[in-house]
Amino acid sequence: MTADPPPHRRPRAVPDAASGDPGFDDLLQVLGEQLGEATQSSDPRSRRKLKNVTFEYETDHTAVHDMAGDAGYSLASNWFTQLLAQLAVANSITKSQLCVFLYVAGAQQRGTGVAQYTQQEITDGLNKLAAQKDGKRITRSTVNRAIKALVGYKWIEQLGNGMIQLNVRLWFHGNSNAQHAVLEQLAVQHDRDPEAFPHGIGPEVHQEQLDLGLTEHPHYEAGRRTG
């Protein structure tokens, strides 16, 4: 006399632990339910062979960002965004360096971290509003010096042919998969040197006296008597 086979365990309808991906968890739940229906009999002689599994998806309506202008938006490191402000107040970067970087960062091609600009195009772009108001303008030589400084900070890299590579750890236009692909490409190009671009982000913060127009100058006439 042989022992009865152990009772068949019905597949769980949900995974033991959530995967963190709602879509994947939904798929596992549906799969578990359909497998359970196909194998719910405890008698091995009456089991049915599973022929197919059917999935139906509902449309997931995700709200889109509402950004000013028609150029879309980019993702920026919060640490770097605050560092920009701190460097400006500490007079550790110049106005021209800040303006050139922001202008280039806002023009990167999606998923690449690359902006296609010549120095003259950057100069003309930065001067657009100033030209309309007949105000002070930035010169091409100033833009050239700013770019050289930004390269030294490892915020950008010049690729030639009017192309500028943004440091995608600081500012990126695209999804995370595209960013990691760009980072891997950069790592290969720089022999995975931990000190090369896009690592070792500068500049070093240094203290300089900066007049922000908030300091009250002493009134030297105070306390003096006039005859």
Side-chain angles (χ1 to χ4, degrees):
M1 182 175 181
T2 59
D4 293 334
H8 179 73
R9 293 184 60 191
R10 180 175 179 175
R12 293 178 58 85
V14 294
D16 290 331
S19 68
D21 183 342
F24 183 69
D25 292 340
D26 290 344
L27 186 149
L28 289 180
Q29 180 173 349
V30 173
L31 182 60
E33 291 172 353
Q34 295 196 24
L35 286 174
E37 292 173 0
T39 59
Q40 60 184 347
S41 175
S42 60
D43 186 351
R45 294 170 296 181
S46 63
R47 291 179 185 171
R48 293 172 292 174
K49 184 177 180 180
L50 182 65
K51 293 182 63 177
N52 64 357
V53 177
T54 304
F55 299 101
E56 294 181 2
Y57 291 91
E58 294 181 356
T59 302
D60 184 11
H61 296 284
T62 303
V64 298
H65 290 84
D66 183 1
M67 311 301 293
D70 59 359
Y73 66 96
S74 302
L75 297 176
S77 158
N78 285 335
W79 166 83
F80 181 67
T81 303
Q82 290 190 325
L83 179 66
L84 282 177
Q86 293 168 341
L87 291 172
V89 170
N91 204 25
S92 292
I93 57 173
T94 66
K95 177 182 176 181
S96 59
Q97 292 166 10
L98 178 61
C99 293
V100 168
F101 175 79
L102 292 176
Y103 190 79
V104 171
Q108 57 183 292
Q109 300 168 6
R110 183 176 180 85
T112 67
V114 173
Q116 188 146 7
Y117 272 143
T118 64
Q119 292 186 13
Q120 187 60 55
E121 288 172 335
I122 296 173
T123 305
D124 294 340
L126 287 173
N127 285 329
K128 184 176 180 180
L129 292 181
Q132 294 175 2
K133 298 184 177 182
D134 197 24
K136 184 178 180 180
R137 307 181 192 186
I138 193 170
T139 64
R140 180 172 174 174
S141 60
T142 301
V143 169
N144 179 50
R145 289 194 298 271
I147 288 176
K148 289 181 178 179
L150 295 173
V151 170
Y153 301 158
K154 295 186 176 66
W155 292 5
I156 65 172
E157 202 175 40
Q158 289 184 285
L159 302 180
N161 298 322
M163 293 193 298
I164 299 175
Q165 173 71 63
L166 269 292
N167 185 330
V168 297
R169 298 179 64 223
L170 305 179
W171 211 293
F172 187 66
H173 181 33
N175 61 34
S176 58
N177 288 337
Q179 185 209 28
H180 283 289
V182 174
L183 284 171
E184 175 62 20
Q185 182 181 10
L186 292 173
V188 171
Q189 291 173 352
H190 296 85
D191 298 324
R192 301 190 183 278
D193 182 356
E195 298 299 322
F197 185 88
H199 306 287
I201 302 162
E204 295 293 333
V205 179
H206 59 275
Q207 295 293 329
E208 289 186 6
Q209 185 175 359
L210 179 64
D211 185 0
L212 296 177
L214 303 177
T215 305
E216 289 188 352
H217 297 285
H219 296 284
Y220 295 106
E221 297 297 324
R224 291 183 58 186
R225 294 184 181 180
T226 56

